[in-house]
Amino acid sequence: MTSQVSSPAEPPAPGEQSKPGKEIRRLDRVIVRFAGDSGDGMQLTGDRFTSETASFGNDLSTLPNFPAEIRAPAGTLPGVSSFQVHFADHDILTPGDRPDVLVAMNPAALKANVADLPRGAEIIVNTDEFTKRAMAKVGYDTSPLEDGALEAYNVHPVPLTTMTVEALKDFGLSRKEAERSKNMFALGLLSWMYHRPTAGTERFLRTKFAKKPQLAEANITAFRAGWNFGETTEDFAVTYEVAPAQAAFPPGTYRNISGNLALAYGLVAASQQADLPLFLGSYPITPASDILHELSKHKNFGVRTFQAEDEIAGIGAALGAAFGGSLAVTTTSGPGVALKSETIGLAVSLELPLLIVDIQRGGPSTGLPTKTEQADLLQAMYGRNGEAPVPIVAPSTPGDCFDAALDAARIALTYRTPVFLLSDGYLANGSEPWRIPDIGELPDLRVQFATTPNHTDADGNQHFWPYLRDPQTLARPWALPGTPGLEHRIGGIEKHDGSGNISYDPANHDLMVRTRQAKVDGIKVPDIVVDDPTGDARTLVIGWGSTYGPITAAVRRTRQAGGEIAQAHLRHLNPFPANLGEALARYRNVIVPEMNLGQLAHLLRARYLVDAASHTQVTGLPFKAEQLAARLQEAVAQGLTKEAAHVR
Amino acid sequence: MSADALSLIPKADAKQSMKDFKSDQEVRWCPGCGDYAILAAVQGFLPELGLARENIVFISGIGCSSRFPYYMNTYGMHSIHGRAPAIATGLATTRRDLSVWVVTGDGDALSIGGNHLIHALRRNVNLKILLFNNRIYGLTKGQYSPTSEVGKITKSTPMGSLDAPFNPVSLALGAEASFVARTIDSDRKHLTEVLRQAAAHPGTALVEIYQNCNIFNDGAFDDLKDKNTALESLIRLEHGQPIRFGAEGAKGVVRDRATGDLCIVEVTEDNEADILVHDAHAASPTTAFALSRLADPQTLHHTPVGVLRSVRRPVYDNAMADQLDAAVEQKGKGDLAALLAGNDTWTVVG
Ligand SMILES: Cc1ncc(C[n+]2csc(CCOP(=O)(O)OP(=O)(O)O)c2C)c(N)n1
Ligand code: SF4
Ligand SMILES: [Mg+2]
């Protein structure tokens, strides 16, 4: 379904027309957080609110946050699941630091989230769940709804469960079944509050419950009841309008997209653009499994997905498929990369194209499976035996995962090398509006397979030498089994430059190690662009991957506060852009925010002898723009001091 | 049965000879190693399949045996320790026009790569796995392996190894293998016949080949090779034939009526009719498994050789190809623009 944003129709109310007398306030942006028990359907509620918001034309950014347990004990703090969405009439970069509105479905949800709220925030609580027992379970001795603990906020007590059950009394559902629709009641109420369109959600529910029309109707009824409740109750006197973010979006057709979905689409697109069948070898692991699920749906694109017995077999099968001429991919998270290391080394030695997608999560070991982190950079860079360089590409936003996948495929196919694509849990599950690319804009990734012998010996006999390289790219020829006359053997043992025969010759090994490194070092990547509006900044902030949104938001705040700061963001971590050293050298002060303990900073310092300062956070959550901005302002001040010292 | 397994693989234009399958690389196994005989048998047998040489691929792991692909003038990959079945699975499922062979050792297949082996067998990917079993780690110079007998004295087990060995045939049968056979490096004729049947089998074929490592485990199979002792120790299985061995077939295998297990008896006029007739195509693997258990794990006395099991069941790569075809039939060929657009879009006009 397509709607036009340039002239947004007033969202059709499912019930009666808006009552006169309710005040409408215009806002430029809002942050809403839905929080409840794992079983309360908060992710779905957030997703639907996001879809409505996207189709309305706001810019948006989301942060789902859920426990690693599938069903943690009900009503407990570890069982709380939340979904935050930030939407605005202008372009925004992060899911927001502090929610303006919290929907708390139970005491645990309130307790777990209230500390994040600014004074004056709205809290909608489901009072039905605030029983003595439920409150005691999370350590509330007295009711926070009554003891003044929430004085700083604007609390709306709503008996969500009771009202949902009441609304559904004619459906003949059990109480338990009826209660399940309370998330739709909440969604209806919020949709009313923010003038969200509703048709999409009703259509979604009808499709989702196509086989159980009665449940579809029950959910729609609960959804409408929530809307109507807002409309009629005295407790909600104000509704809010956040206008579409027209100026934020270049013309085009848009959809909302999560990082994992964009990444999966990028892989399908790469396979189409390369005219090679896509093969995915994978073993399920959070937060990467969604890509396996998604690609499994697209067999009609010739996509083969193989759920292997472990991650070693996943990448092994992918490498076998690459040998046979597929665009081969393996998807995983940090622990899986550890298992794949030996095979990645083999791929480096075989010089076959292979994409290794690492959706990073909190580590070490099992760590924080459902939370985000950027701590696999050095694993991707160095985590193998021997000198085994692998190019690294990192997307910066959910939508960018699409382009990054195409870019990684380009490098793999052009240079015949494994390539790391480093996404993370925040990009994977977060979403944003995405301009749907025109197929005609996509890069041409077609490859030339070897078809004829490439070497003539002294006696004039023709041979195929699998390691005779392209002088420009240093890529070796890709000769597929089935090609007559090019029969050859490759392996992980060191091979002779050119012929590829086993060679233990010291000088040859030295040459091969250096050549493999030179090939990766020589990969063409775009120059880094430094955003330095005045050209007078003394401080540069540089990041990589998913910190793009928070860093950019923090840079804006810093500049608004009068601080001069330059910003650069790396997509290519190996090789680095050719102009990176020179760009870094232009600044007195370089600061590197990362969701690890300073891995990029380490690489930059080692490579460019630059006194880069680290700013790190490993909470499993993205940076908050406000905190980051404070650190950047400090850095700007340091930059000025250093400059003064230098001038003196 | 033969049509299916090879039907998708292009045929050679001209008649081939053993020479066509020899690569230009010097073979570097120890003189006298059983691997030479297996290499010769494979190179000698492949011409009879008449497949286009470029459509044959050998993939190996690591070990002495795994050097095999370098000596074959086909496509090949010498990969990493234990992982050849996984790599070959990716190749075979994406390229049904290839005849894909895996060469592996007892350590490679059963120790580090045990997981991949059992899953390849369970999936029934179109692979022919040649497991060179010398009951020792050759390449790393003589440690005991997962097929070594208990109490084996090696460099890593000076007081004798403690762990019970795998019987690779029993293991494969337990892993749902659709084709399981065993043969011996020195018996060219038997080896060739087993290879012939394996090549024709649609799905994964596991062939265990007893291979002498004359450096670190010399004579491990002498009992089965020596003409005199072999009569008593080796049980040659032939589909449709009563299972008899010993001098003039004096011994035979019968089912114990009380336990259902198999046992060895002196053949008499009274029991001759009860001698088990080998049925490699039996739907149930039970009898094949019982046959595999006749061998003594220490001495290999009463080792059955030949094809223990050969049954048809769906082949993974075919099933995957069918799903792809069905998806196109149901949804039409994938349309990238439609995929990217999805169902919920909005338009921003300039
Ligand atoms: C990851 C890894 N671990 C250990 C080794 C060392 N290694 C090489 S071959 C081998 C055992 C080989 O035994 P087997 O598979 O029986 O082959 P054989 O040499 O007997 O033919 C070992 C342990 C290795 N190459 N890679
Ligand atoms: S060590 Fe044993 S198995 Fe290896 S090549 Fe020598 S004889 Fe053969
Ligand atoms: Mg061995």
Side-chain angles (χ1 to χ4, degrees):
Chain A
M1 291 297 136
T2 286
S3 55
Q4 289 243 328
V5 172
S6 47
S7 56
E10 198 60 24
E16 53 201 289
Q17 280 301 298
S18 204
K19 277 212 178 134
K22 292 236 175 186
E23 183 194 340
I24 298 177
R25 255 182 240 159
R26 287 195 154 266
L27 298 174
D28 63 346
R29 63 189 194 97
V30 177
I31 301 163
V32 177
R33 187 184 292 178
F34 297 93
D37 208 51
S38 301
D40 285 343
M42 289 300 97
Q43 300 304 320
L44 175 74
T45 311
D47 264 344
R48 282 319 315 161
F49 192 85
T50 302
S51 289
E52 293 172 1
T53 296
S55 69
F56 184 67
N58 294 123
D59 195 8
L60 65 87
S61 173
T62 67
L63 178 65
N65 192 356
F66 41 86
E69 293 75 18
I70 305 304
R71 289 272 185 273
T76 62
L77 290 172
V80 173
S81 168
S82 72
F83 188 107
Q84 182 163 313
V85 49
H86 181 190
F87 57 103
D89 68 0
H90 55 278
D91 76 313
I92 51 167
L93 297 146
T94 74
D97 293 356
R98 301 198 282 160
D100 303 306
V101 186
L102 172 69
V103 178
M105 300 298 280
N106 66 8
L110 178 68
K111 179 123 192 186
N113 290 287
V114 71
D116 294 340
L117 304 180
R119 285 184 78 83
E122 316 254 352
I123 304 178
I124 299 170
V125 284
N126 179 8
T127 52
D128 289 326
E129 300 295 326
F130 280 68
T131 61
K132 259 209 138 49
R133 237 186 108 216
M135 287 189 288
K137 215 184 229 181
V138 295
Y140 281 130
D141 295 332
T142 55
S143 170
L145 306 181
E146 287 153 16
D147 65 8
L150 302 179
E151 237 165 36
Y153 312 105
N154 197 358
V155 180
H156 304 271
V158 181
L160 272 166
T161 313
T162 317
M163 292 199 320
T164 305
V165 172
E166 175 65 19
L168 302 185
K169 65 175 186 297
D170 296 337
F171 279 83
L173 300 171
S174 71
R175 190 181 161 88
K176 245 199 143 77
E177 282 172 320
E179 277 181 7
R180 254 186 234 140
S181 298
K182 64 180 182 290
N183 62 332
M184 287 299 114
F185 189 100
L187 179 63
L189 176 57
L190 270 286
S191 300
W192 167 81
M193 243 173 111
Y194 291 99
H195 295 246
R196 302 290 95 185
T198 57
T201 292
E202 299 201 356
R203 201 166 50 234
F204 167 85
L205 290 170
R206 289 211 167 87
T207 317
K208 181 174 163 74
F209 295 107
K211 294 211 176 95
K212 295 177 182 162
Q214 192 208 17
L215 278 188
E217 287 316 309
N219 275 298
I220 290 168
T221 302
F223 177 60
R224 289 181 178 172
W227 179 291
N228 291 336
F229 171 72
E231 191 78 1
T232 46
T233 181
E234 300 290 316
D235 192 34
F236 292 93
V238 189
T239 65
Y240 303 90
E241 267 185 10
V242 179
Q246 284 168 49
F249 296 117
T253 305
Y254 286 79
R255 65 177 286 170
N256 190 50
I257 202 158
S258 71
N260 271 353
L261 187 60
L263 204 152
Y265 285 179
L267 295 174
V268 175
S271 131
Q272 299 272 306
Q273 293 304 103
D275 201 13
L276 298 177
L278 188 67
F279 180 90
L280 172 68
S282 186
Y283 188 77
I285 185 170
T286 304
S289 302
D290 287 341
I291 302 173
L292 168 63
H293 303 164
E294 184 62 33
L295 289 177
S296 300
K297 293 186 211 160
H298 303 303
K299 298 192 195 320
N300 60 330
F301 284 84
V303 176
R304 287 181 175 81
T305 54
F306 173 67
Q307 184 176 317
E309 56 271 23
D310 58 25
E311 0 292 90
I312 302 173
I315 188 173
L319 188 59
F323 187 46
S326 286
L327 175 61
V329 186
T330 189
T331 50
T332 190
S333 188
V337 173
L339 287 171
K340 292 175 196 292
S341 305
E342 192 193 8
T343 312
I344 299 171
L346 177 63
V348 168
S349 183
L350 297 183
E351 303 192 42
L352 283 170
L354 176 66
L355 300 184
I356 303 135
V357 179
D358 176 2
I359 313 294
Q360 301 165 93
R361 65 190 216 182
S365 189
T366 306
L368 300 174
T370 59
K371 312 288 184 219
T372 198
E373 207 160 281
Q374 294 182 298
D376 293 349
L377 175 58
L378 293 184
Q379 178 176 226
M381 189 76 188
Y382 296 124
R384 288 164 295 285
N385 61 303
E387 296 288 354
V390 176
I392 304 172
V393 178
S396 54
T397 71
D400 187 43
C401 290
F402 179 83
D403 296 322
L406 281 157
D407 199 15
R410 168 190 69 89
I411 293 173
L413 294 169
T414 309
Y415 296 90
R416 313 280 148 83
T417 174
V419 176
F420 261 104
L421 191 51
L422 278 187
S423 176
D424 62 27
Y426 169 56
L427 294 180
N429 294 318
S431 66
E432 66 174 353
W434 180 58
R435 193 182 68 78
I436 299 161
D438 197 335
I439 305 299
E441 299 167 5
L442 301 180
D444 182 355
L445 298 178
R446 279 172 302 180
V447 293
Q448 203 67 51
F449 294 121
T451 52
T452 50
N454 56 0
H455 174 76
T456 311
D457 67 18
D459 300 334
N461 296 317
Q462 303 263 300
H463 297 276
F464 176 64
W465 276 19
Y467 282 82
L468 206 56
R469 297 168 188 280
D470 177 299
Q472 243 83 57
T473 59
L474 298 183
R476 73 173 194 89
W478 193 4
L480 303 189
T483 315
L486 306 193
E487 293 83 358
H488 65 280
R489 278 65 56 191
I490 53 178
I493 297 190
E494 189 58 280
K495 65 272 300 159
H496 192 263
D497 180 37
S499 75
N501 292 330
I502 292 181
S503 166
Y504 300 112
D505 177 57
N508 176 74
H509 178 57
D510 190 84
L511 174 70
M512 291 298 275
V513 168
R514 291 177 198 281
T515 305
R516 287 186 288 260
Q517 184 67 48
K519 179 176 85 166
V520 171
D521 290 346
I523 290 171
K524 284 212 165 52
V525 304
D527 273 353
I528 189 133
V529 178
V530 179
D531 173 41
D532 186 355
T534 61
D536 289 336
R538 297 289 174 260
T539 295
L540 170 74
V541 57
I542 183 165
W544 67 280
S546 78
T547 51
Y548 173 76
I551 294 176
T552 310
V555 164
R556 281 188 193 168
R557 285 173 190 235
T558 305
R559 287 178 184 161
Q560 268 158 18
E564 279 185 309
I565 189 162
Q567 186 195 356
H569 206 75
L570 285 165
R571 145 163 301 182
H572 296 277
L573 294 130
N574 195 27
F576 283 132
N579 66 336
L580 181 58
E582 181 251 324
L584 293 170
R586 284 206 301 269
Y587 296 90
R588 287 266 167 258
N589 204 27
V590 174
I591 179 157
V592 190
E594 289 178 88
M595 295 187 291
N596 57 43
L597 295 186
Q599 300 191 7
L600 173 63
H602 180 89
L603 293 175
L604 294 178
R605 294 176 71 99
R607 172 77 191 271
Y608 300 108
L609 294 176
V610 49
D611 184 20
S614 248
H615 174 67
T616 62
Q617 170 183 309
V618 281
T619 55
L621 293 166
F623 282 111
K624 294 191 164 153
E626 189 180 336
Q627 290 167 5
L628 193 53
R631 179 67 187 85
L632 293 189
Q633 277 155 35
E634 265 173 42
V636 168
Q638 279 163 359
L640 293 175
T641 314
K642 282 190 190 175
E643 174 73 9
H646 182 78
V647 170
R648 233 184 289 129
Chain B
M1 191 167 272
S2 64
D4 275 29
L6 304 172
S7 62
L8 294 175
I9 302 162
K11 301 290 171 294
D13 298 334
K15 202 165 143 43
Q16 300 162 326
S17 74
M18 181 165 177
K19 209 173 92 248
D20 293 321
F21 286 93
K22 290 186 173 170
S23 78
D24 59 358
Q25 296 298 292
E26 180 198 352
V27 185
R28 291 198 200 153
W29 287 307
C30 306
C33 175
D35 290 349
Y36 282 96
I38 305 173
L39 178 65
V42 172
Q43 289 170 334
F45 147 76
L46 281 177
E48 89 177 45
L49 292 182
L51 302 176
R53 198 159 42 87
E54 64 270 19
N55 286 70
I56 301 176
V57 186
F58 279 83
I59 298 187
S60 64
I62 297 289
C64 294
S65 37
S66 287
R67 294 295 175 95
F68 197 94
Y70 286 116
Y71 309 135
M72 296 294 303
N73 191 11
T74 62
Y75 282 87
M77 187 195 291
H78 179 222
S79 75
I80 45 177
H81 203 17
R83 317 303 173 195
I87 294 170
T89 293
L91 183 62
T93 51
T94 50
R95 292 288 307 273
R96 289 192 302 152
D97 60 329
L98 302 178
S99 169
V100 183
W101 297 71
V102 169
V103 175
T104 179
D106 43 320
D108 196 60
L110 301 171
S111 205
I112 194 166
N115 198 31
H116 307 308
L117 180 75
I118 57 174
H119 287 278
L121 295 171
R122 156 179 90 79
R123 288 190 187 102
N124 207 29
V125 183
N126 198 9
L127 297 177
K128 314 304 155 211
I129 303 177
L130 308 183
L131 195 172
F132 293 25
N133 182 6
N134 52 13
R135 305 191 85 185
I136 200 83
Y137 284 1
L139 191 68
T140 46
K141 304 195 174 169
Q143 301 82 5
Y144 81 113
S145 91
T147 57
S148 298
E149 61 278 17
V150 177
K152 184 150 197 92
I153 309 255
T154 70
K155 283 182 197 142
S156 62
T157 51
M159 294 175 71
S161 61
L162 302 173
D163 28 347
F166 271 138
N167 176 330
V169 165
S170 304
L171 181 86
L173 289 166
E176 308 290 344
S178 59
F179 183 102
V180 186
R182 176 187 284 135
T183 182
I184 303 179
D185 57 3
S186 54
D187 188 344
R188 174 85 170 255
K189 192 160 154 259
H190 191 264
L191 175 54
T192 302
E193 176 51 30
V194 166
L195 291 176
R196 194 174 284 137
Q197 294 192 44
H201 177 73
T204 312
L206 180 96
V207 180
E208 183 192 11
I209 307 173
Y210 283 156
Q211 171 244 324
N212 192 42
C213 167
N214 53 310
I215 302 296
F216 296 112
N217 201 17
D218 196 22
F221 308 104
D222 277 359
D223 234 24
L224 308 176
K225 294 182 177 183
D226 180 276
K227 268 214 169 72
N228 297 318
T229 53
L231 268 183
E232 284 298 318
S233 57
L234 201 64
I235 306 176
R236 290 177 180 270
L237 300 174
E238 270 177 63
H239 176 72
Q241 295 299 317
I243 304 172
R244 293 178 69 157
F245 63 105
E248 276 145 37
K251 291 189 176 159
V253 175
V254 297
R255 198 180 293 285
D256 181 320
R257 280 180 213 276
T259 64
D261 209 348
L262 300 184
C263 49
I264 289 164
V265 294
E266 297 285 343
V267 180
T268 63
E269 261 170 41
D270 290 345
N271 68 11
E272 196 167 356
D274 297 338
I275 302 295
L276 195 70
V277 173
H278 180 48
D279 179 8
H281 309 321
S284 160
T286 310
T287 305
F289 187 80
L291 281 170
S292 77
R293 306 309 291 172
L294 290 174
D296 183 302
Q298 291 296 103
T299 62
L300 303 185
H301 203 61
H302 293 159
T303 289
V305 295
V307 178
L308 280 96
R309 178 169 171 79
S310 171
V311 297
R312 287 229 177 188
R313 64 184 181 82
V315 176
Y316 184 83
D317 16 332
N318 293 344
M320 189 184 273
D322 289 348
Q323 279 197 346
L324 263 59
D325 291 345
V328 171
E329 223 161 84
Q330 286 160 18
K331 302 196 248 178
K333 217 168 153 35
D335 172 351
L336 185 60
L339 176 72
L340 300 187
N343 296 321
D344 266 315
T345 64
W346 68 96
T347 306
V348 176
V349 291

